[in-house]
Amino acid sequence: MNIFMLSSTFPYPPTRGGTQVRTFNLLKYLSQNHNITLVTQRESDVTDLEIAGLRDCVDNLVVFDRPSDQRTSAGILKKIQRLGKFIFTGTPPSVLNRYSLEMQAWIDNFVKSGKCDVITCEHSVNEIYIRPYFQNQVKTIVNIHSSVYGTCLNQLATGTSENQFRDKINLPLLRRYEQVYCSKFSNIVVTTAEDKQQLQQFNSQAEIAVIPNGVDLVSFPNRPTDPGGHRIIFIGAMDNLANIDAVCFFSNEVLPEIQKIYPDTTFDIVGSRPDPAVLLLGEKPGINVIGRVPSMAEYLHNSTICVVPMRTGFGIKNKTLEAMAAGIPVVGSDRGLEGLAVDGINTPLRALRANQPAEYIAAISQLFEQPELRYQLSTHARQLVETQFTWEIAGQRYEEVCLED
């Protein structure tokens, strides 16, 4: 089968963030049995060596330069203009800002040539390149990493919105946008049942498959020993708003209370591109802002506990799965553990759940004090990942969607 994959995010190396990891591992699986044409965009930090590495993974790689982002334009007039454009076009500025007319022309010609059997949009932001009539000629799939409407709704509900006034205006526009773009696709893929339920409200007849994220078990081996101690870690891209909110919340409201009980407690923040707000956290006692590292597994293995204190952001979190695969006991919020059966009746305990500061303090104290509990979580979590959340399993399910009549 000839599969045409669209990804405006350059998906290599697969260590840059959640979007890249999912896209790369799915294309890697599909390329074993199918002919893959990948069209993507490069940003200024993408090297020629990385392009060569990605080219080795597909049959045909086409790379365009990423358009310059206009969102940095300040001033009330610019903001009003962007909102007006959103209302008029029905497409969010975050999608329009990465749109390339040159890339659109190439895609139109490629589809017209009849050289593909399936088009997959890897992340909903790529929907802008899909013409409504494409689905009359070829199967079209959108791989939605998280609902933009659902995410905005959640941020308003939890008080984690960066700009409540703006997001209250955007909410009905995002609902309309998601409803319209989903109608262009033969099939929809989401990462959690929650997102499926959200999108099913827009179109009860839509073909929606739930395909969770996975983990590369070679890159994230089970840790050989429990290091003990009082070392806490958070992993993730540190220019991501949901991650920034998570580490700020934990550093300001939880960690100081933990350090009163366990004064030697440290908190490592590991992930690429730390935001200025994250770098400031490094001035607090015991907090280490480490940035991008060659091996995330190595840092996980040296930690006592991994926290996933997300207060916003939909979908299964790669960071949670990677920590579980590495055998690190996890303390996470409802958002951080979304889509994972980690507790409850007839479910082996695989992580501890916490949402409020007092709940984090209690859970972390429990794990610091009880090595047998750490071992229990570590063992059960690793088994869960091995049996349900590998990229091999996700790839098989994605291939099935591509092959369905």
Side-chain angles (χ1 to χ4, degrees):
M1 176 180 281
N2 296 312
I3 300 176
F4 177 28
M5 303 183 80
L6 283 173
S7 176
S8 57
T9 301
F10 192 83
Y12 191 89
T15 52
R16 289 175 178 263
T19 299
Q20 290 93 328
V21 170
R22 183 171 172 88
T23 302
F24 175 78
N25 281 286
L26 291 177
L27 76 83
K28 181 181 175 184
Y29 181 87
L30 291 176
S31 66
Q32 296 175 84
N33 299 311
H34 306 282
N35 185 291
I36 305 294
T37 294
L38 174 67
V39 174
T40 187
Q41 293 176 341
R42 68 180 295 178
E43 297 189 55
S44 57
D45 61 345
V46 174
T47 67
D48 291 341
L49 195 62
E50 288 169 341
I51 291 176
L54 182 58
R55 197 177 301 279
D56 288 340
C57 301
V58 295
D59 297 278
N60 185 23
L61 176 66
V62 182
V63 182
F64 292 90
D65 288 331
R66 173 89 174 264
S68 58
D69 196 332
Q70 303 300 315
R71 284 177 294 174
T72 52
S73 303
I76 188 66
L77 183 59
K78 291 291 184 183
K79 291 178 180 178
I80 292 172
Q81 287 175 342
R82 285 195 290 270
L83 175 61
K85 200 168 185 179
F86 188 1
I87 295 170
F88 178 73
T89 64
T91 304
S94 58
V95 177
L96 290 171
N97 281 331
R98 62 178 71 193
Y99 180 65
S100 162
L101 287 172
E102 183 186 11
M103 187 164 152
Q104 180 72 71
W106 194 97
I107 291 166
D108 288 345
N109 287 330
F110 187 78
V111 175
K112 186 178 180 181
S113 71
K115 294 179 180 177
C116 61
D117 304 302
V118 178
I119 302 174
T120 72
C121 285
E122 303 305 321
H123 198 292
S124 57
V125 72
N126 297 285
E127 65 75 24
I128 193 169
Y129 293 106
I130 302 301
R131 307 289 192 187
Y133 65 82
F134 280 4
Q135 64 178 309
N136 297 327
Q137 302 171 223
V138 65
K139 185 169 191 170
T140 52
I141 300 170
V142 60
N143 187 356
I144 300 174
H145 293 197
S146 63
S147 162
V148 289
Y149 169 76
T151 299
C152 185
L153 186 65
N154 173 256
Q155 288 173 340
L156 287 169
T158 57
T160 54
S161 170
E162 196 181 32
N163 186 326
Q164 287 214 6
F165 177 72
R166 178 200 64 197
D167 287 347
K168 284 179 181 177
I169 293 173
N170 283 347
L171 190 63
L173 298 174
L174 288 172
R175 181 184 178 89
R176 181 187 67 178
Y177 164 69
E178 202 151 62
Q179 192 168 13
V180 169
Y181 88 66
C182 281
S183 68
K184 297 193 295 184
F185 293 89
S186 317
N187 294 76
I188 298 169
V189 171
V190 295
T191 62
T192 67
E194 191 171 5
D195 265 349
K196 178 177 180 177
Q197 186 178 12
Q198 176 70 67
L199 294 172
Q200 207 89 65
Q201 292 177 15
F202 299 153
N203 182 357
S204 60
Q205 304 303 313
E207 292 285 339
I208 305 178
V210 178
I211 302 177
N213 286 339
V215 180
D216 180 347
L217 298 179
V218 174
S219 299
F220 291 89
N222 199 5
R223 72 179 179 186
T225 58
D226 178 352
H230 303 129
R231 188 169 177 179
I232 303 171
I233 190 171
F234 176 92
I235 62 172
M238 292 320 306
D239 59 349
N240 176 280
L241 289 177
N243 289 344
I244 295 167
D245 174 77
V247 296
C248 288
F249 160 72
F250 186 82
S251 299
N252 295 325
E253 300 189 39
V254 180
L255 185 64
E257 300 304 313
I258 292 288
Q259 289 172 327
K260 288 178 184 177
I261 309 169
Y262 306 95
D264 64 337
T265 299
T266 60
F267 181 39
D268 292 341
I269 301 172
V270 185
S272 58
R273 304 180 295 274
D275 183 84
V278 176
L279 292 173
L280 277 175
L281 295 176
E283 299 176 5
K284 294 178 177 287
I287 298 181
N288 306 303
V289 180
I290 295 170
R292 186 178 178 182
V293 295
S295 171
M296 196 71 82
E298 182 181 334
Y299 278 83
L300 285 167
H301 287 172
N302 290 328
S303 303
T304 319
I305 298 168
C306 179
V307 291
V308 193
M310 314 301 292
R311 299 194 294 177
T312 185
F314 275 65
I316 286 182
K317 309 299 182 291
N318 284 332
K319 60 178 68 64
T320 308
L321 292 174
E322 289 167 355
M324 287 179 163
I328 316 307
V330 171
V331 178
S333 64
D334 290 341
R335 289 263 72 86
L337 300 173
E338 182 186 346
L340 302 173
V342 299
D343 51 14
I345 300 171
N346 299 324
T347 300
L349 191 61
R350 293 158 170 153
L352 296 186
R353 194 179 296 272
N355 291 292
Q356 301 304 319
E359 294 171 336
Y360 280 101
I361 295 163
I364 290 168
S365 298
Q366 244 188 311
L367 287 170
F368 279 169
E369 297 287 346
Q370 301 177 34
E372 67 280 4
L373 179 59
R374 295 200 299 271
Y375 177 79
Q376 180 186 2
L377 295 188
S378 174
T379 303
H380 290 162
R382 173 73 184 192
Q383 289 172 348
L384 175 69
V385 173
E386 287 178 343
T387 56
Q388 296 185 36
F389 295 100
T390 67
W391 285 118
E392 181 83 8
I393 295 170
Q396 288 173 0
R397 293 179 183 173
Y398 203 41
E399 183 179 41
E400 288 168 6
V401 174
C402 293
L403 293 172
E404 286 172 358
D405 290 332

